[in-house]
Amino acid sequence: MIETEVMDNIIELKHLTRKFGDLIAVSDLSLEIKRKEIFGLLGPNGAGKTTTISMICGMLEPTEGSISFKGFGGKEPKSLIGYCPQENIFYPKLTCMEQLVFMGQMFGVNKITCLERAGQLLTLLGLSDKAEEMAVNLSGGMKRRLNICLALIHDPEILVLDEPEAGLDPQSRILVRDFIRRFGESKTVILTTHNMDEADRMAHRIAIIDYGKLLLLDTPHNLKRTIGEGDMLEIVPENSSGNDVTGFIDQVSALVPQINNNPHTLLFRHPDMLEIMPSIKRIADEMGFKIAEFKLRQNTLEDVFIHLTGRNLRP
Amino acid sequence: MKLFAVISKSLKEQVRSYWVLLLTLSMGPFFIFVYYLIVESSKPQYDILFVNNDKGVVVNNNRVNHGERLINYFTIQLSDTAGIPFRVKETGDRNLGVKTLKEKHADALLTIPEMFSENVMAKTNSDSSNTEPVEFMGDLTNTSYLISAVWAGELLNDYMYQATGKQKMVSIAEIPLGSSGTLDDFNLVVPGILVVSLIMLMFTSSIAFVSEVENKTIMRLKLSGVTTLEFLGGIGVVQISVGVVSMLLTLLTAILLGFQYEGSLGILLLIAALTSMSIIAFSLVIASVTKSANEVLIVGNFPMFLFMFFTGAAFPLKSEALFTLAGYPINVQGLMTPVHAISALNKALVMNMSLLSILPEIIAILLLTLLYFIIGAMIFRHRHLKLA
């Protein structure tokens, strides 16, 4: 977790709304993104994350509201942003080097600079030995990394990543994560993800959106505090016929209330959970309540996310 | 600079999609070869069969048979007639001749009467017109008989003039138009097939445009701020080059197989480039309404069929002009540029006409190209390049 320094706003979304017919994908969304910030956008499927970043990147026009970029001396917003979409998009019949140079040239960068920058990016993302390989022949993880290189070839001020770790093996994930962190030291990164761990580890601030609306925006640390102080006890009952889950919950609730509504994984939170854990264990033993797992942990972003967006699957 | 980058990238992609390129480049030469085989196997041969019943006459103690002389005259004259593949045969019996005719081993049967020599002698010494006729027999519905009969009649008159010294009433002078006198069917179909080699560009061009949509790389281009003109221009330049190479390969194949090339190479290249541009512009319309190479192959078949078979490219086609514009005939097929390209190539390659004389065709190609391009670019921009 990285704490936010005081930084200037470089992107301001004001009352941003985007409608597709009757569907309101993004509704009255207002937020600011700061310079040299890694900004996470969390939300379930269909929450409006991709629509929001598409508007930031200039691929979609807002139905209402505005997006302003500050401190770039009137530069064309498109040239400020490097967009790495969720889907790997590249020219299958060009080599890694060829397509990086081509995309750089499309952004108006001269060929020599493109060649230099492409070489650096391929090295940083572990693709230097694949520079002359046609993209179609790369593995899934390599294609994902090439996708990131393509977003950065014109040296943008803002890198927008849609699910950057999707489909990556653990080694590639670490490489990409380190790369994003390093990039975020000098530039701005906006990332959307379903991976709470990824967001928690990397983002300075996180916005949680659902049904196109902003639910919470804060640092990961503060977000975790919003759903309550203290540690979390997670109890997974054994699936035995004699287990009286309801009776157990009733008795434990006298000490600490259950914070979820799931009979298969019982969650309890208390500011001093270590103190009351022995009492909970004693209740279980006295009732003959069999426990498969008994786990003490801190609040996670997933807890926050589920707390805010619920457990229901989204269409 | 962006335009050159698009050209370079498009060229690499085109070369690496070598199967499509190979098919496009080989289609013209392949058609030429097929037509060559068809034309060679069906080259016309006119067989004239004689039955000589002439008994001859004795002149100054010498026996003279004008029937034999006539057959001899035919043999010599027809072998000397350039490009007319006549063969003279002789049989001793008329019934046998008729049988040969029915079995289609001959196209015309000429029976020389018994008194033929006497008639010739009589005509030499007087203006007598009472002569027993030379009998022409053949299938009147068969053009081979008609051609054989026309030539035989002409030669018979020539012989009679030589033998009797009597002036012919009418003499025919045949003057070939352009190089048509030395052209056969193969030479006449080559201009159309040169255009076929360009029509095949419809697939490579449409696929080049639509692959950006299919690979979704169009999104990256939209973000980069590349203009529609730079994008379309870059792809267009590569496709025009493919078109010109395709036409030159087709022409080279045709020349190797005996095509008699006339006219200026510059005019040929100009027509190739303009027609390629028009096909590319039309391809843009196809790419606008499709989203993948597979869809291009399905949707593109229909216009390709029209361009191939209703413009005179694959087969000669005649159609009534709806009206004429400054003397240039306009018909429904004229909405397809190959019609004008074929007309221009025929004028330039067959008739050896100048650039000025193909100006109406060039103007028609340019106007139609502009029309295709405006329609294609508008729809393509709206469907694939515009912000959502």
Side-chain angles (χ1 to χ4, degrees), chain A residues 242-254 258 266 268 283-284 287 289:
Chain A
N243 253 359
D244 179 8
V245 177
T246 315
F248 177 71
I249 292 170
D250 286 345
Q251 290 206 32
V252 174
S253 295
Q258 189 194 2
L266 314 176
F268 303 95
I283 291 168
M287 284 179 67
F289 185 77

Side-chain angles (χ1 to χ4, degrees), chain B residues 141-186:
Chain B
T141 63
N142 186 342
T143 48
S144 294
Y145 167 69
L146 298 174
I147 292 167
S148 304
V150 166
W151 275 89
E154 183 64 14
L155 285 176
L156 184 60
N157 278 332
D158 277 351
Y159 178 79
M160 291 301 283
Y161 166 63
Q162 281 189 18
T164 63
K166 300 290 179 193
Q167 199 63 40
K168 280 166 71 181
M169 292 293 286
V170 177
S171 62
I172 299 168
E174 192 175 71
I175 301 159
L177 184 63
S179 15
S180 63
T182 54
L183 291 179
D184 58 16
D185 283 358
F186 177 66

Side-chain angles (χ1 to χ4, degrees), chain B residues 280-300:
Chain B
I280 293 161
F282 192 85
S283 305
L284 193 56
V285 180
I286 297 173
S288 303
V289 295
T290 52
K291 284 184 176 170
S292 67
N294 280 343
E295 281 185 28
V296 165
L297 294 175
I298 296 164
V299 175

Side-chain angles (χ1 to χ4, degrees), chain A residues 83-310:
Chain A
Y83 176 49
C84 174
Q86 192 168 346
E87 201 177 345
N88 293 329
I89 294 176
F90 50 78
Y91 292 97
K93 293 201 173 154
L94 293 186
T95 67
C96 297
M97 182 59 86
E98 283 169 350
Q99 56 195 304
L100 283 169
V101 171
F102 171 67
M103 278 318 301
Q105 287 180 299
M106 289 301 97
F107 277 97
V109 183
N110 71 60
K111 194 174 178 179
I112 295 166
T113 312
C114 285
L115 281 165
E116 274 174 28
R117 210 173 277 166
Q120 289 164 1
L121 285 169
L122 290 172
T123 305
L124 283 171
L125 282 153
L127 290 170
S128 53
D129 57 333
K130 299 290 175 188
E132 300 309 322
E133 188 77 56
M134 276 205 266
V136 71
N137 298 329
L138 300 179
S139 70
M142 289 174 183
K143 284 174 183 166
R144 191 86 197 116
R145 284 180 270 152
L146 174 64
N147 217 26
I148 297 174
C149 292
L150 282 165
L152 291 168
I153 188 65
H154 59 293
D155 195 21
E157 292 296 327
I158 303 158
L159 174 61
V160 179
L161 299 157
D162 200 354
E163 297 287 349
E165 294 187 5
L168 289 179
D169 57 42
Q171 287 79 7
S172 298
R173 207 178 299 152
I174 292 167
L175 184 80
V176 168
R177 202 175 285 167
D178 287 345
F179 177 81
I180 294 169
R181 274 208 198 99
R182 208 177 319 160
F183 186 85
E185 288 169 8
S186 56
K187 306 276 176 81
T188 304
V189 179
I190 302 170
L191 60 93
T192 74
T193 180
H194 287 114
N195 187 338
M196 306 296 151
D197 185 46
E198 178 186 6
D200 197 0
R201 282 166 192 252
M202 289 203 294
H204 296 113
R205 288 193 309 147
I206 291 170
I208 298 178
I209 60 171
D210 198 11
Y211 296 110
K213 289 181 186 295
L214 179 66
L215 301 180
L216 270 181
L217 168 57
D218 215 325
T219 63
H221 177 70
N222 288 343
L223 282 176
K224 282 183 271 186
R225 284 172 54 183
T226 56
I227 56 165
E229 293 282 352
D231 295 326
M232 189 88 84
L233 180 66
E234 193 173 307
I235 297 173
V236 179
E238 249 183 36
N239 189 16
S240 60
S241 53
N243 253 359
D244 179 8
V245 177
T246 315
F248 177 71
I249 292 170
D250 286 345
Q251 290 206 32
V252 174
S253 295
L255 296 171
V256 53
Q258 189 194 2
I259 58 161
N260 68 338
N261 196 21
N262 181 358
H264 305 293
T265 307
L266 314 176
L267 289 177
F268 303 95
R269 186 188 299 109
H270 194 273
D272 203 1
M273 185 58 87
L274 267 176
E275 284 288 318
I276 58 165
M277 263 174 61
S279 309
I280 294 172
K281 185 76 174 68
R282 196 163 43 249
I283 291 168
D285 291 343
E286 283 171 7
M287 284 179 67
F289 185 77
K290 293 186 176 63
I291 293 171
E293 271 183 52
F294 196 81
K295 199 161 66 186
L296 181 69
R297 62 168 175 80
Q298 292 184 317
N299 284 341
T300 63
L301 268 183
E302 189 167 300
D303 298 326
V304 182
F305 188 80
I306 295 297
H307 174 75
L308 290 170
T309 62

Side-chain angles (χ1 to χ4, degrees), chain B residues 219-230:
Chain B
M219 184 209 75
R220 291 201 183 282
L221 295 175
K222 277 195 273 186
L223 286 175
S224 72
V226 66
T227 64
T228 308
L229 208 62
E230 285 166 334

